[in-house]
Amino acid sequence: MKIKSQRDFGAGLMFLAVGVSFALGASTYDFGVSARPGPGYFPMLLGLILAVLGAMVLFKALTLETEDGEPIGKLAWKPLITILGSVVLFGLLLPRLGLAVALPLLVFGASAAGDEFSLRDALVSAVVLTTLAWLLFIKGLSLTLPLWPAFLG
């Protein structure tokens, strides 16, 4: 079998592997039922959806012919490290600085990874995402996430 699009093949393989690993990791938690989902329900569902999407992209890469074969380009190390670093920093800072500080830092860090950084766009995204996260996770789901830094209250 010939790989007709290296880029789609690599992306499909990555999505499939990440989806399957999330689904396997979620299988160690209680699944529950649809009416009362357990802690493993949502990660399992997302993992399976990601694996199915990855399989579809992988199948497309093996069946559709492209003109140049769409070779996989160079790995963009700077954006990859910047975004991963922002996510790790968010995880480390959330318990100490709260959602209102850690999430905007994540947004600004991840936005800086792109070629077209706009301070106004990053600021709007940070405000909107922080407000939505506060409404969803703290107000809606009553999770015990700190909103403000620990030293403030």
Side-chain angles (χ1 to χ4, degrees):
M1 184 171 284
K2 183 179 172 191
I3 298 173
K4 298 179 174 137
S5 174
Q6 294 177 16
R7 185 178 301 155
D8 286 346
F9 182 80
L13 201 58
M14 180 188 67
F15 288 153
L16 185 63
V18 169
V20 167
S21 56
F22 265 84
L24 287 175
S27 68
T28 61
Y29 296 108
D30 180 34
F31 191 72
V33 294
S34 293
R36 290 193 57 84
Y41 188 85
F42 191 65
M44 173 72 79
L45 191 62
L46 284 181
L48 292 177
I49 289 171
L50 188 60
V52 168
L53 289 174
M56 289 169 41
V57 171
L58 195 63
F59 179 73
K60 177 185 155 218
L62 296 173
T63 58
L64 295 180
E65 187 70 47
T66 59
E67 290 179 20
D68 61 355
E70 291 183 18
I72 297 174
K74 287 183 174 180
L75 194 57
W77 287 105
K78 181 187 173 243
L80 178 66
I81 291 171
T82 304
I83 291 173
L84 284 176
S86 296
V87 172
V88 169
L89 191 65
F90 172 77
L92 293 173
L93 294 179
L94 180 63
R96 293 164 186 82
L97 296 180
L99 191 67
V101 176
L103 190 55
L105 287 175
L106 168 68
V107 171
F108 280 106
S111 297
D115 293 333
E116 301 173 5
F117 178 78
S118 165
L119 183 62
R120 184 182 66 80
D121 291 345
L123 186 60
V124 169
S125 295
V127 169
V128 169
L129 287 174
T130 304
T131 303
L132 290 175
W134 171 70
L135 286 170
L136 178 67
F137 296 118
I138 296 176
K139 289 294 181 187
L141 295 174
S142 299
L143 295 180
T144 55
L145 293 174
L147 180 60
W148 300 107
F151 60 84
L152 290 179

